[in-house]
């Protein structure tokens, strides 16, 4: 197999795994969130509180669109707004305890849903797979702040 064919197979397998995990999060959780909401929640988890503008830039949407997304999440108690530390006029968005629980629940569901398929590997194969995935991730270019 040529390198391009191998890479194509790899991408197809990653997409299959991703679809499977996304279906687990949507179908089995008490508090389902959309894919875009999930991206927003994960960004808040990684970065702490953010302004609407920062979130809009991260997801490449208009601030007005992001404001509506945050309104829905806030209404459901998943995020909250508060005055900024440097400027009280600037509102920041952060995860609520419920939002943190949603992330934790979904990640545990994903781990649980892959536990059985993962058991088909020997310990050595598991370690090799994880080492190769770590190596691949370490070579993925980091997104620049201004992009």
């Amino acid at each position: 197999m040529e390198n391009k064919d191998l890479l194509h197979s790899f991408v197809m397998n990653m997409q299959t795994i991703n679809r499977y995990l996304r279906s687990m999060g949507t179908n089995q959780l008490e508090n389902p969130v959309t894919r875009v909401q999930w991206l927003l929640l994960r960004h808040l988890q990684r970065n702490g509180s953010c302004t609407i503008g920062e979130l809009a830039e991260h997801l490449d949407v208009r601030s007005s669109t992001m404001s509506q997304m945050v309104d829905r999440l806030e209404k459901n108690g998943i995020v909250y707004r508060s005055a900024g530390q440097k400027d009280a006029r600037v509102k920041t968005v952060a995860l609520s305890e419920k939002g943190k629980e949603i992330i934790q629940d979904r990640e545990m569901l994903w781990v649980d849903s892959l536990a059985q398929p993962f058991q088909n590997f020997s310990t050595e194969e598991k370690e090799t797979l994880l080492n190769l995935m770590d190596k691949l991730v370490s070579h993925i270019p980091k997104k620049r702040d201004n992009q």
Side-chain angles (χ1 to χ4, degrees):
M1 245 186 187
E2 290 186 36
N3 190 45
K4 187 175 181 178
D5 294 331
L6 292 170
L7 191 53
H8 180 67
S9 292
F10 175 79
V11 168
M12 294 298 106
N13 287 327
M14 289 294 296
Q15 288 176 340
T16 299
I17 293 167
N18 191 24
R19 275 192 301 275
Y20 174 68
L21 292 177
R22 279 199 328 251
S23 73
M24 290 293 111
T26 303
N27 299 334
Q28 298 186 15
L29 287 177
E30 186 176 310
N31 296 306
V33 293
T34 67
R35 183 172 182 272
V36 174
Q37 288 173 334
W38 175 254
L39 295 173
L40 187 153
L41 296 179
R42 286 302 305 263
H43 186 73
L44 288 173
Q45 180 191 37
R46 289 186 197 111
N47 297 288
S49 62
C50 297
T51 65
I52 295 286
E54 291 167 341
L55 292 170
E57 183 178 324
H58 175 70
L59 292 176
D60 196 24
V61 298
R62 285 186 255 156
S63 290
S64 59
T65 302
M66 181 55 62
S67 190
Q68 292 172 349
M69 284 186 220
V70 170
D71 286 346
R72 283 189 291 275
L73 291 169
E74 188 175 34
K75 182 180 176 183
N76 291 319
I78 297 171
V79 300
Y80 64 92
R81 289 182 170 108
S82 61
Q85 292 178 344
K86 294 179 183 177
D87 185 346
R89 295 171 295 175
V90 176
K91 299 294 183 201
T92 59
V93 180
L95 288 173
S96 67
E97 286 305 314
K98 182 178 179 180
K100 292 174 186 175
E101 288 174 15
I102 288 171
I103 290 173
Q104 183 179 15
D105 291 349
R106 182 169 286 191
E107 288 176 345
M108 288 308 302
L109 180 62
W110 287 347
V111 168
D112 292 345
S113 67
L114 286 177
Q116 190 282 324
F118 203 63
Q119 291 306 315
N120 291 304
F121 295 114
S122 69
T123 300
E124 184 178 316
E125 288 171 328
K126 290 174 192 174
E127 291 171 359
T128 300
L129 176 63
L130 294 177
N131 288 333
L132 291 171
M133 294 299 288
D134 286 342
K135 186 174 182 178
L136 178 64
V137 168
S138 74
H139 287 88
I140 293 175
K142 302 292 185 238
K143 182 178 177 183
R144 290 190 214 148
D145 290 335
N146 61 354
Q147 288 182 335

